[in-house]
Structure formats: structure tokens, C-alpha cells
Amino acid sequence: MKIVILERDSVGKDVSVECLKDLGEVTAYSNTSAGEAAERVRDAEIIIANKSPLNEETLKDAAGVKLICEFATGYDNVDLEYCRGRGIKVANVVNYSTAAVAQHTFALCFYILEKLHHYDHYVKSGEYAAQSRFSNFDLPFTELDGKTWGIIGMGNIGRKVAQIAEVFGCRVIFYSASGKSSCTEYERVELDTLLGESDFLSIHCPLSDRTRNLIDLDALKKMKKTAILINVARGPVVNDEALYTALTEELIAGAGLDVTGTEPMKESNPLSRIMDSNKLIITPHLAWASIEARNRVVEETYKNIEAFCRGENRNVVN
């Protein structure tokens, strides 16, 4: 089998992909732009991708493609309808980053909630050493205990976040982005209720027509002024311009983002103008990327291809 990896570096150079050579002839590219994809997949039978667009334009001359594997859970870069018509199967990797993303969700939350940037700077600047008191808490912060944690998207990651929030003493409520959630362990509410009651609101849903710009200015105006918004899902679920307005006009207290509307984030993004790290922290789409999670991506992709070669469907999404 001819296997083409379009974005080998998406799992990190410190993670090996050598095991995939057991399954076929592997050609690996560090990264692939949209304009390079068609030529690179022309002779492929199996394509491994992450963000490269795989649609009629990039696949029309790749007559031998039988399987597309995602180095990810999300597959919005693939035209599933076109692949279905061609008989091309598409497989993703599930539940590989649940622990990592849940962990990062709370890292972002605490950074904003407890004003950690401010207090770290206070100590390192020498101000703490220069004062006579043993403590300083000039920027007040609150506890999670007794607060309401709202979740958009109660999949594997959403449930893990819910479990952790409960341990911290939070009441957990959620909104089903798909409208099809089977979760009964936590209280399901309508979006307006979620927005109005959440002290902390974390997003864990896929990007779809239902969720694109779900958190717009109207939604942000319905949130508590003391609320913190966390997005570790897909950037376009939150409207960046609306969030800029909400933060600068103090409609909400703060936000922690691992994703933005475009990636990498453009300099023209208004959020790049907010320098107050007590109000906004942005990390470069790394919530999923623990060492353990990146190794799981490769291992699970190997198993997906191995199953395909046996004539089995494993994690096939179309």
C-alpha cells in the first residue's frame, strides 16, 4: 500500500511514525498547503492528514485512494459526500486527547480566574519582596466550589470536564450542540439558560453549521459579567470580533482560548490587541498535544489502517 502522510509534523517531531512503515510504502511531508495536496496524493492509496483539504479538487486525480485517515478526531477538512461517492472510506481517531484537553480547560480557567499572570509578575518584579505584609491579593478571585459550570458539547471531553468540575464542587449543566445528546448524568438546558446561569462556560463541540458563530455578540450579552469563557474546541464556534467587544466592554470577565477563527491567528484578529493577560489568554491550539495524546494518535491510526487491510471498518465516519 502506498501511504502518504501530508502533515507528519502535526504529531510532533518527537513522536515517531516509523510503525506505519510496517503497513506499506510511506511518503511523509512535514506540512502540506492546500495548493500542494493534489499533487502529493496523486499516487496514494492511503492518505493520512490533519488539516489539508481533501475534496474533489484535491482528490479528483488520485484514482487509487481507498482510505483517508485523520491524525485527529475532527474531519471537517474532508468532503465526506464526495468520498462516499468515490467509495473512499474516512477514519478518525477518537478519545485520544480527552485527558489532555480536559486538563488544559482547567489550566486556562485558573490562569484567568486566579489572575496568575498578575501575581507571578508581582513576585518576579520585586514588588512582593519590597512589601511588609506576608500576602498580597489586590486583584480578587473566587472559588469554583458552589459555582455553575456550563458545557457546550457533552461528548467524551465534555463529560471528563464535567467530572472534574463536580470534584471542584460545581453544579454542571450542558447544552447539546447536536440536539442528540444521550447524556443523562447532567442537567441538559437550552442555550439561553446555559448562557445566563454559567459562571464558567467551556466549549467542547465539533464545528458544524449549527455551531459556527454559536457564541456571537448576542450570546455573550446573555452571559454573566463575572463569567469566564473557555474554548478548546473549534475557533469559529466563537465569533472573535464579538468576543473582543465583550472583553473590552466588560460584558464578561475573561476568556481562555486554545483556538481562534483562523489558525494560525492573523495579526488582523482584534483579539491580538488585548494585551491584558488577566482578561485573555490564548494558546496555539495545543490543548490536545500532550506527549501521551500524540503517541496515541499514531498508534490509533496504525490500528485503523491495519483494520482496513483486514476488510474491517474501524472508526470509519462515512
Side-chain angles (χ1 to χ4, degrees):
M1 301 288 281
K2 293 184 178 179
I3 302 170
V4 174
I5 306 174
L6 291 178
E7 295 143 300
R8 184 261 175 271
D9 288 0
S10 66
V11 293
K13 294 179 180 178
D14 57 329
V15 168
S16 175
V17 297
E18 289 296 301
C19 63
L20 296 170
K21 292 182 178 180
D22 296 342
L23 302 172
E25 177 188 334
V26 176
T27 301
Y29 298 96
S30 296
N31 194 33
T32 296
S33 67
E36 296 170 327
E39 180 59 33
R40 291 181 175 181
V41 303
R42 186 183 299 271
D43 298 322
E45 293 172 89
I46 296 175
I47 300 170
I48 300 174
N50 183 283
K51 291 289 186 292
S52 292
L54 295 171
N55 48 38
E56 183 173 6
E57 182 180 352
T58 55
L59 295 173
K60 62 183 179 181
D61 296 325
V65 175
K66 301 178 180 67
L67 174 68
I68 293 172
C69 288
E70 292 279 3
F71 263 169
T73 299
Y75 44 85
D76 45 279
N77 61 312
V78 180
D79 185 335
L80 294 183
E81 193 65 31
Y82 175 77
C83 288
R84 191 177 296 114
R86 282 270 308 271
I88 301 170
K89 294 183 177 181
V90 180
N92 69 343
V93 178
V94 296
N95 206 24
Y96 71 93
S97 64
T98 298
V101 177
Q103 175 176 297
H104 197 68
T105 298
F106 287 91
L108 294 174
C109 173
F110 289 131
Y111 186 87
I112 297 295
L113 175 64
E114 298 200 359
K115 309 295 188 292
L116 296 181
H117 175 80
H118 168 77
Y119 288 115
D120 181 59
H121 176 74
Y122 185 83
V123 173
K124 291 176 179 176
S125 69
E127 291 182 77
Y128 181 46
Q131 73 174 40
S132 57
R133 294 178 293 111
F134 79 95
S135 180
N136 178 58
F137 41 88
D138 57 325
L139 292 185
F141 57 93
T142 62
E143 299 174 351
L144 266 67
D145 189 50
K147 304 301 190 300
T148 296
W149 190 290
I151 293 173
I152 297 176
M154 193 59 89
N156 291 327
I157 295 172
R159 289 177 193 236
K160 185 72 171 180
V161 169
Q163 292 167 6
I164 297 169
E166 275 196 318
V167 171
F168 277 113
C170 290
R171 167 200 176 214
V172 175
I173 58 177
F174 78 97
Y175 168 72
S176 173
S178 68
K180 302 174 183 177
S181 177
S182 60
C183 178
T184 57
E185 302 99 302
Y186 302 99
E187 181 184 355
R188 179 174 169 179
V189 299
E190 294 302 316
L191 181 60
D192 282 357
T193 301
L194 187 90
L195 295 168
E197 295 187 8
S198 296
D199 298 293
F200 309 93
L201 176 55
S202 59
I203 301 172
H204 309 288
C205 61
L207 180 63
S208 67
D209 291 339
R210 288 174 62 97
T211 61
R212 188 179 297 275
N213 285 319
L214 182 68
I215 305 301
D216 56 12
L217 188 57
D218 182 58
L220 290 160
K221 286 179 177 178
K222 294 175 182 177
M223 293 179 67
K224 296 180 180 182
K225 291 186 180 295
T226 54
I228 294 174
L229 175 70
I230 308 293
N231 187 7
V232 290
R234 289 289 191 240
V237 175
V238 177
N239 184 287
D240 289 342
E241 290 76 15
L243 181 57
Y244 172 82
T245 299
L247 291 171
T248 54
E249 296 185 6
E250 299 185 349
L251 301 179
I252 63 174
L257 309 177
D258 187 52
V259 289
T260 53
T262 57
E263 295 175 347
M265 190 171 93
K266 295 180 179 178
E267 291 183 5
S268 58
N269 190 317
L271 294 174
S272 66
R273 300 199 294 269
I274 298 179
M275 295 293 108
D276 184 357
S277 294
N278 297 305
K279 183 173 289 186
L280 174 67
I281 177 174
I282 304 175
T283 52
H285 203 145
L286 56 76
W288 66 278
S290 67
I291 294 171
E292 295 90 341
R294 289 184 285 116
N295 273 300
R296 282 186 213 112
V297 167
V298 177
E299 292 163 5
E300 289 297 304
T301 299
Y302 181 98
K303 291 176 182 178
N304 286 344
I305 297 173
E306 193 176 41
F308 173 79
C309 292
R310 292 196 303 263
E312 301 171 7
N313 287 336
R314 184 178 191 271
N315 294 326
V316 172
V317 298
N318 67 337

